[in-house]
Amino acid sequence: MQSEDAPSVPTDWTRSISYQSRATARPTAADLRELVSKAEARNQTLGVTGMLLYDKGRFFQTLEGPPRAIETLWTSIRSDPRHTDIEVLSEHVIPSRLFGGWNLLGYHGDEVPEATLRQAKAEHELTGEIPQFIDLVLNGDDIGINRKIAALIESGWKGDLILTHLIEPTARALGDAWLSDDCSELDLAIGLSMLQLAGHAIVHDPTPAKLRTSQYRILLATAPGEPHMLGTSLLADLFTDAGWNVDMAFPDSNQALANQLAAQQPDAVDIGLSDALSRKNSLALLRRTIERSRFAAPDHLTVVSVGGRLFSEAAATAENVGADYARKTVAGASIRIAELIRLKRQEHRQT
Ligand SMILES: Cc1cc2nc3c(=O)[nH]c(=O)nc-3n(C[C@H](O)[C@H](O)[C@H](O)COP(=O)(O)O)c2cc1C
């Protein structure tokens, strides 16, 4: 591994390493549980996140954290007699964690559920694409971006996974690069609009028929004073593909948003903070925006959804801001919000 003292690597960056290996003896469920619980405790102390999978005699692990902590951990893991044939699959240094909310996950048994495996594989394989994707995005290479997305779709990647594990994390990495002065504000703006273009190339997973005919109306808004387009644009494509009536709003004040809500009376409103930057002080403002929005048409039932980096990294919840729903990703949002609309109406009928 490259030393953390290398001058090109700021010490506050995150080192990430992924490897696979072969178990020397087939571990029992109890062995795996013990391994995971000890590893989890030590990783927490070291500030390391990531995941560990065990499937049919093979381990797969991604670790990320402070370079020095990864170095220490890797020295232990590499010489652990419980596995052999260790093959490093990827290793990089990045300005931000890509597994933000993850801790160590262990699977007790030989059979990992198919969906979990697919999800973990997407985390790993698409995460590995991010550094190259950032280059394309920062160079404004729209042809390269479209080619990349087309190639991923061609090789079977579902749109939802590309959104959640490539496009949205790239936005967060760009935000971090801007914060740490590794790119200019103009680079960030160009990068985010390139990601918006990439989002248009995504084909969304088909919506179940009963939700397709719902004809719900949603107002997609940016939080007042937080002009950004990426999340709103990705959502607009997704909801339109799912057959919703979509309106957009880029209000400059709570009053402007309330006026639009009162005039349009949508079934749901989504208010988005930036997908790239996590500004905690925007939460208090968002809470006020939502309070104000709920008064805009008090007799009309409106589901209030929120999104943005603070929510995707679980740094904030729907309750923190008085919303009905906080989306961690744009993927799946139309299905979840349709359910909430139905639920809210059902509750209203029963009261
Ligand atoms: C496949 C595999 C993955 C492991 N992952 C971790 C881990 O993420 N964190 C950790 O502290 N130990 C992990 N361990 C255990 C370490 O190899 C080591 O036993 C433990 O960190 C104690 O370190 P020490 O023996 O140097 O004191 C893992 C072991 C195996 C076999």
Side-chain angles (χ1 to χ4, degrees):
M1 290 179 93
Q2 195 185 343
S3 154
E4 70 266 31
D5 296 322
S8 59
V9 179
T11 46
D12 57 347
W13 279 35
T14 293
R15 169 163 283 158
S16 149
I17 183 162
S18 297
Y19 70 90
Q20 61 176 346
S21 63
R22 193 165 52 79
T24 37
R26 180 158 284 219
T28 62
D31 292 338
L32 286 172
R33 259 197 305 277
E34 191 193 328
L35 194 166
V36 166
S37 78
K38 282 195 179 153
E40 197 158 17
R42 188 172 179 205
N43 290 5
Q44 238 158 36
T45 319
L46 290 170
V48 167
T49 51
M51 64 159 181
L52 171 64
L53 280 178
Y54 171 76
D55 185 39
K56 301 190 185 78
R58 299 203 68 84
F59 288 109
F60 169 75
Q61 186 168 35
T62 296
L63 293 163
E64 51 177 34
R68 200 176 294 275
I70 296 293
E71 192 76 52
T72 308
L73 205 52
W74 186 234
T75 306
S76 295
I77 295 174
R78 208 172 31 195
S79 53
D80 194 308
R82 286 171 286 186
H83 63 167
T84 181
D85 297 344
I86 299 173
E87 183 193 350
V88 174
L89 299 167
S90 77
E91 201 185 338
H92 40 249
V93 179
I94 41 179
S96 65
R97 277 172 203 266
L98 298 167
F99 282 79
W102 283 60
N103 229 309
L104 209 65
L105 280 186
Y107 296 106
H108 309 149
D110 266 352
E111 296 299 331
V112 180
E114 193 50 40
T116 311
L117 209 55
R118 231 180 9 249
Q119 177 79 7
K121 200 166 152 266
E123 287 265 358
H124 167 59
E125 290 185 11
L126 292 175
T127 297
E129 302 276 354
I130 290 173
Q132 194 207 351
F133 204 61
I134 291 178
D135 282 345
L136 290 174
V137 160
L138 283 178
N139 288 326
D141 183 354
D142 54 341
I143 296 174
I145 291 169
N146 283 337
R147 202 176 285 144
K148 178 87 237 166
I149 299 283
L152 289 172
I153 292 171
E154 177 78 30
S155 58
W157 285 106
K158 288 274 209 283
D160 278 3
L161 290 175
I162 299 175
L163 280 173
T164 309
H165 298 299
L166 183 61
I167 294 187
E168 291 174 320
T170 299
R172 296 196 281 276
L174 284 179
D176 287 339
W178 176 71
L179 272 182
S180 56
D181 269 346
D182 290 309
C183 77
S184 69
E185 188 161 358
L186 185 64
D187 288 334
L188 175 67
I190 292 173
L192 292 177
S193 64
M194 285 290 125
L195 287 178
Q196 205 175 313
L197 275 181
H200 287 313
I202 302 278
V203 181
H204 296 288
D205 298 347
T207 309
K210 65 175 190 259
L211 295 176
R212 271 208 140 269
T213 55
S214 64
Q215 285 295 311
Y216 288 138
R217 175 174 289 274
I218 188 162
L219 179 65
L220 302 173
T222 51
E226 271 247 348
H228 57 85
M229 283 284 293
L230 180 64
T232 317
S233 150
L234 296 177
L235 282 174
D237 285 347
L238 183 120
F239 278 89
T240 307
D241 281 3
W244 289 53
N245 291 310
V246 175
D247 293 301
M248 294 213 244
F250 302 96
D252 54 11
S253 67
N254 288 345
Q255 185 61 46
L257 178 59
N259 290 348
Q260 196 160 345
L261 281 168
Q264 294 179 330
Q265 308 218 344
D267 302 294
V269 56
D270 183 276
I271 307 174
L273 293 172
S274 169
D275 282 292
L277 303 171
S278 58
R279 289 191 284 254
K280 285 231 168 60
N281 56 4
S282 36
L283 284 179
L285 292 173
L286 184 58
R287 170 171 273 284
R288 271 204 291 286
T289 301
I290 291 173
E291 275 165 11
R292 184 75 193 80
S293 300
R294 291 204 189 272
F295 275 118
D299 299 330
H300 183 71
L301 294 178
T302 307
V303 165
V304 179
S305 142
V306 286
R309 180 162 182 174
L310 283 170
F311 300 99
S312 57
E313 288 181 339
T317 63
E319 295 78 57
N320 290 156
V321 291
D324 299 304
Y325 175 56
R327 52 181 169 78
K328 287 197 188 312
T329 158
V330 299
S334 66
I335 295 178
R336 188 76 192 105
I337 293 176
E339 277 168 13
L340 287 172
I341 292 172
R342 268 209 296 277
L343 218 65
K344 212 176 183 99
R345 291 185 179 172
Q346 208 174 348
E347 277 168 9
H348 183 71
R349 276 197 298 272
Q350 283 163 0
T351 54

